[in-house]
């Protein structure tokens, strides 16, 4: 574990005393590489900010046009179940990407506030050696998980580009993931590069936006663990009343952060879960009816990517939910019976606040928990059964 920490510290290092959160900086940097102009969320020079805006201005319009061409191809082939499912899988995913991008732009100031608050909490509230250990351990977890997800998507999308360039006649505009109606005035080589690079850029952009949200969720989980450890702090015995008041204030800030993050991401996450239900189903359907070609291999890779995407949301959401339920028990386990009435009143306020678990939701309709993940898989299987019946019916 120590070796892994040293390795991850070389990638956007984290520092408690400076309030520097390396996992957030890492994912913001990756988002900037994919064309998202997320300036001001990490230290950067004026020249770097200008370069980020220039790259975004060049990349984003091309990606938007590509999604429109995918939608046009979907309209042209709506009556063919096989072609339609191939197209819908990518079109839904890419429309979700633009939904997330536009939501990020719209809520950008709120996101900057969240980052600033997390940095402030890191500097001022993570004090003891045990709390610092938890911070660094979760930073390793954040970086490792997010880099694994990012590398998985980079590998699958790059493999798709290689297969497209090797066999363009079989893939370009005809098979998953390149079901798109390209303009005929573009030379074939330009069309192929446009298809392949657009898939890579959009796929990586989706990952980075998801990772930023997931890291925020795990930061909330980390601060809940820090709150649990706060009741073992020696200062609780030295100045119990003022220390308890600071714990209540700390907890209120964490609650407000959860509410703010849920408000920022509720609509994109809701669209993500609804679309993933269909994408799961249609990906499995394509895997079942596939011809064993290279396109079928890419379908399995896409399924693994979507699986990771939804699982990470549900896993980290579930971690926050479970961790928040332990606060009341931890607070009750301190030596409150040996302290004065003022401390007991403040402790009661904390326990009342902590009695309601923190739950991230998809649009306020579904909690991000492992139970929700299992429900998505179950509903997807039902849709696969319907698609198979539709596909096999005419034959």
């Amino acid at each position: 574990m120590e070796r892994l920490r040293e390795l991850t510290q070389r990638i956007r290092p984290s520092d408690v005393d400076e309030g520097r959160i390396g996992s957030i900086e890492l994912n913001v940097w990756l988002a900037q590489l994919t064309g998202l102009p997320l300036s001001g969320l990490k230290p950067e020079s004026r020249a770097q900010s200008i370069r980020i805006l220039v790259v975004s201005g060049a990349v984003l319009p091309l990606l938007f046009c590509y999604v429109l061409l995918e939608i046009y191809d979907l309209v042209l082939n709506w009556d063919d179940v096989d072609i339609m499912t191939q197209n819908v899988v990518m079109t839904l995913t890419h429309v979700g990407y633009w939904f997330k991008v536009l939501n990020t732009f719209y809520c950008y100031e709120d996101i900057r506030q969240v980052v600033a608050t997390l940095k402030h909490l890191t500097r001022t509230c993570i004090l003891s050696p045990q709390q610092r250990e938890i911070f660094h351990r979760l930073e390793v977890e954040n970086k490792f998980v997010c880099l694994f997800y990012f590398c998985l998507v980079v590998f699958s999308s790059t493999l798709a580009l290689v297969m497209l360039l090797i066999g363009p006649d079989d893939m370009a505009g005809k098979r998953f993931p390149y079901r798109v109606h390209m303009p005929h005035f573009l030379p074939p080589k330009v069309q192929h590069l446009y298809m392949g690079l657009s898939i890579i850029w959009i796929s990586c952009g989706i990952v980075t936006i998801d990772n930023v949200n997931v890291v925020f969720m795990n930061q909330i989980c980390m601060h809940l663990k820090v709150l649990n450890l706060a009741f073992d702090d020696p200062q609780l015995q030295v100045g119990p009343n003022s220390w308890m008041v600071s714990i209540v204030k700390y907890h209120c800030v964490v609650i407000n952060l959860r509410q703010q993050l849920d408000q920022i991401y509720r609509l994109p996450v809701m669209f993500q879960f609804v679309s993933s239900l269909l994408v799961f189903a249609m990906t499995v359907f394509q895997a079942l009816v596939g011809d064993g070609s290279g396109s079928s291999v890419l379908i399995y890779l896409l399924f693994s990517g979507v699986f990771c995407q939804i699982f990470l949301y549900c896993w980290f959401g579930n971690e926050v939910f479970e961790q928040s339920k332990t606060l009341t028990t931890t607070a009750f386990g301190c030596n409150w019976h040996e302290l004065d009435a003022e401390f007991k009143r403040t402790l009661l306020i904390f326990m009342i606040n902590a009695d309601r678990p923190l739950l991230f939701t998809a649009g306020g309709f579904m909690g991000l928990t492992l139970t929700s993940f299992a429900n998505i898989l179950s509903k997807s299987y039902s849709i696969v059964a319907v698609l198979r019946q539709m596909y096999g019916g005419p034959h």
Side-chain angles (χ1 to χ4, degrees):
M1 184 67 182
E2 193 64 32
R3 178 62 180 164
L4 187 60
R5 176 187 297 181
E6 292 176 3
L7 183 62
T8 55
Q9 273 292 86
R10 299 176 186 174
I11 310 170
R12 298 288 170 175
S14 305
D15 192 308
V16 173
D17 296 325
E18 295 179 5
R20 188 171 182 181
I21 306 173
S23 57
I24 294 178
E25 292 185 8
L26 172 63
N27 285 294
V28 169
W29 175 69
L30 292 174
Q32 291 170 347
L33 290 182
T34 63
L36 296 177
L38 304 184
S39 299
L41 298 183
K42 64 178 182 63
E44 54 200 23
S45 65
R46 183 174 179 82
Q48 288 175 321
S49 300
I50 294 173
R51 179 185 58 81
I52 292 166
L53 292 175
V54 170
V55 172
S56 301
V59 171
L60 292 181
L62 294 175
L63 299 183
F64 184 75
C65 291
Y66 185 82
V67 176
L68 292 180
L69 293 172
E70 282 186 320
I71 296 173
Y72 181 55
D73 182 76
L74 176 62
V75 173
L76 294 178
N77 297 282
W78 185 256
D79 295 333
D80 189 313
V81 175
D82 184 25
I83 295 177
M84 182 268 292
T85 52
Q86 290 184 55
N87 187 297
V88 165
V89 166
M90 299 309 294
T91 301
L92 270 179
T93 304
H94 295 167
V95 169
Y97 162 75
W98 274 105
F99 195 177
K100 293 175 182 179
V101 169
L102 295 175
N103 179 77
T104 301
F105 291 161
Y106 181 74
C107 300
Y108 196 62
E109 284 304 316
D110 293 329
I111 294 173
R112 292 182 66 172
Q113 278 186 347
V114 168
V115 173
T117 303
L118 288 173
K119 289 180 178 180
H120 175 73
L121 289 179
T122 300
R123 284 194 306 270
T124 58
C125 299
I126 300 177
L127 304 173
S128 69
Q130 294 88 349
Q131 292 171 342
R132 288 169 178 258
E133 173 66 23
I134 284 181
F135 171 80
H136 287 294
R137 180 157 50 84
L138 287 188
E139 277 294 275
V140 172
E141 179 182 301
N142 287 339
K143 292 177 183 178
F144 179 79
V145 169
C146 293
L147 283 175
F148 173 79
Y149 179 29
F150 185 81
C151 291
L152 173 65
V153 172
V154 169
F155 170 76
S156 58
S157 56
T158 303
L159 178 62
L161 173 59
V162 172
M163 294 174 65
L164 173 65
L165 296 178
I166 292 175
D169 294 337
D170 297 327
M171 297 282 291
K174 299 176 182 178
R175 296 295 302 172
F176 172 91
Y178 299 115
R179 282 297 326 179
V180 58
H181 192 85
M182 298 298 293
H184 298 299
F185 63 83
L186 291 177
K189 289 294 183 182
V190 175
Q191 292 185 22
H192 302 158
L193 287 175
Y194 185 28
M195 291 179 188
L197 293 177
S198 294
I199 293 294
I200 292 175
W201 248 260
I202 293 175
S203 301
C204 294
I206 292 170
V207 171
T208 54
I209 296 175
D210 288 337
N211 280 349
V212 169
N213 191 6
V214 164
V215 167
F216 284 157
M217 293 165 66
N218 211 23
Q219 286 290 314
I220 298 294
C221 185
M222 182 269 295
H223 285 293
L224 292 174
K225 291 180 179 181
V226 169
L227 271 169
N228 270 320
L229 287 175
F231 287 95
D232 298 327
D233 197 294
Q235 291 194 44
L236 189 60
Q237 307 301 326
V238 177
N241 293 332
S242 60
W243 189 245
M244 193 65 231
V245 169
S246 67
I247 290 176
V248 171
K249 291 180 178 179
Y250 182 15
H251 184 231
C252 288
V253 173
V254 174
I255 292 174
N256 290 335
L257 270 178
R258 200 283 312 172
Q259 293 173 342
Q260 194 172 4
L261 285 171
D262 207 40
Q263 186 69 22
I264 291 171
Y265 291 106
R266 62 191 180 91
L267 293 181
V269 173
M270 181 179 68
F271 181 87
Q272 178 66 63
F273 272 65
V274 173
S275 63
S276 293
L277 178 65
L278 299 175
V279 170
F280 259 136
M282 293 185 180
T283 304
V284 173
F285 171 75
Q286 280 297 318
L288 292 174
V289 303
D291 54 7
S293 63
S295 179
S296 298
V297 175
L298 296 176
I299 286 171
Y300 288 114
L301 288 173
L302 171 72
F303 180 80
S304 63
V306 176
F307 184 92
C308 285
Q309 182 183 42
I310 300 304
F311 180 76
L312 288 178
Y313 273 113
C314 292
W315 174 265
F316 286 109
N318 192 77
E319 285 289 291
V320 172
F321 180 66
E322 294 298 328
Q323 190 64 38
S324 66
K325 292 194 295 185
T326 64
L327 290 177
T328 303
T329 304
T330 303
F332 186 76
C334 71
N335 296 326
W336 57 268
H337 47 83
E338 299 177 0
L339 300 169
D340 58 20
E342 182 182 351
F343 177 89
K344 294 175 183 177
R345 283 195 297 268
T346 311
L347 178 67
L348 183 61
I349 292 173
F350 174 83
M351 294 178 66
I352 291 173
N353 284 340
D355 193 49
R356 184 177 181 182
L358 303 185
L359 179 63
F360 285 96
T361 65
F365 296 103
M366 178 174 63
L368 302 186
T369 63
L370 293 179
T371 303
S372 300
F373 180 73
N375 289 336
I376 289 177
L377 295 182
S378 175
K379 297 296 189 297
S380 298
Y381 176 78
S382 302
I383 298 175
V384 171
V386 173
L387 288 173
R388 290 202 68 180
Q389 186 173 11
M390 291 173 59
Y391 183 72
H395 301 287

